[in-house]
């Protein structure tokens, strides 16, 4: 398997910690991981990848971050048919509606979201969440 990208946006570092743990799981699973901030990624970078992960915390009224991640995801929607995507992110309030909405968007665009409604954690990821992220990375590496 080639490279598996883990594209994220993080404000406080919580989603970054999750991204790094998913990257570790991918590497531990025998694949090459590239953990990259969305500001350093183009949608075209994912054209040849059949499997990748996207991470973003809940912002505002439980939406994706609006200046970088939302435009990236909006553009990506036209290119995800047939791809396997993992979604993840942290939140500080609400109940995870932003992630359910995101999963529905990607599924409606033709992607398979490999981790159901996405992997979310409230505030800072603890050891259990980090382990879940690493397991998700290993799952991606095995696809």
């Amino acid at each position: 398997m080639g490279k598996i990208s883990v594209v994220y946006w993080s404000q406080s570092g919580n989603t970054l910690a999750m991204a790094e743990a998913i990257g570790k799981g991918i590497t531990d699973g025998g694949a090459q991981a590239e953990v990259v901030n969305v500001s350093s990624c183009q949608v075209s970078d994912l054209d040849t990848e059949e499997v990748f992960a996207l991470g973003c915390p809940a912002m505002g009224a439980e939406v994706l971050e609006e200046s970088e991640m939302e435009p990236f995801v909006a553009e990506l929607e036209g290119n995800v048919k047939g791809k396997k995507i993992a979604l993840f992110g942290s939140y500080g309030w609400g109940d995870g509606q932003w992630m359910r909405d995101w999963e529905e968007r990607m599924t409606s665009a033709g992607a398979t979201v490999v981790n159901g409604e996405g992997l979310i954690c409230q505030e800072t990821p603890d050891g259990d969440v980090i382990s879940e992220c690493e397991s998700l990375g290993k799952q991606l590496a095995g696809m």
Side-chain angles (χ1 to χ4, degrees):
M1 163 157 297
K3 170 186 70 143
I4 299 174
S5 292
V6 181
V7 181
Y8 72 92
W9 186 91
S10 186
Q11 182 172 31
S12 66
N14 295 337
T15 301
L16 169 60
M18 295 174 79
E20 290 174 339
I22 292 168
K24 180 182 183 307
I26 291 168
T27 302
D28 290 351
Q32 178 187 352
E34 182 174 1
V35 179
V36 60
N37 188 294
V38 69
S39 65
S40 300
C41 187
Q42 302 294 318
V43 168
S44 60
D45 295 341
L46 302 177
D47 282 350
T48 60
E49 293 189 39
E50 295 302 314
V51 177
F52 53 88
L54 301 172
C56 185
M59 302 295 288
E62 286 205 80
V63 296
L64 296 175
E65 186 277 328
E66 295 175 299
S67 68
E68 292 183 85
M69 195 65 171
E70 175 56 40
F72 183 85
V73 170
E75 183 181 344
L76 184 65
E77 276 181 278
N79 300 320
V80 297
K81 188 171 185 173
K83 297 190 184 260
K84 296 175 183 164
I85 303 172
L87 300 175
F88 66 95
S90 62
Y91 66 102
W93 58 89
D95 68 353
Q97 186 61 47
W98 102 101
M99 186 59 70
R100 289 188 295 275
D101 292 344
W102 197 9
E103 183 272 334
E104 186 177 314
R105 276 176 80 180
M106 295 294 98
T107 301
S108 294
T112 299
V113 177
V114 299
N115 57 335
E117 289 187 350
L119 175 56
I120 63 174
C121 78
Q122 190 164 21
E123 305 295 347
T124 304
D126 61 15
D128 289 342
V129 172
I130 294 298
S131 292
E132 285 182 60
C133 290
E134 290 176 2
S135 293
L136 179 57
K138 288 177 187 171
Q139 180 184 355
L140 294 175
M143 299 186 127

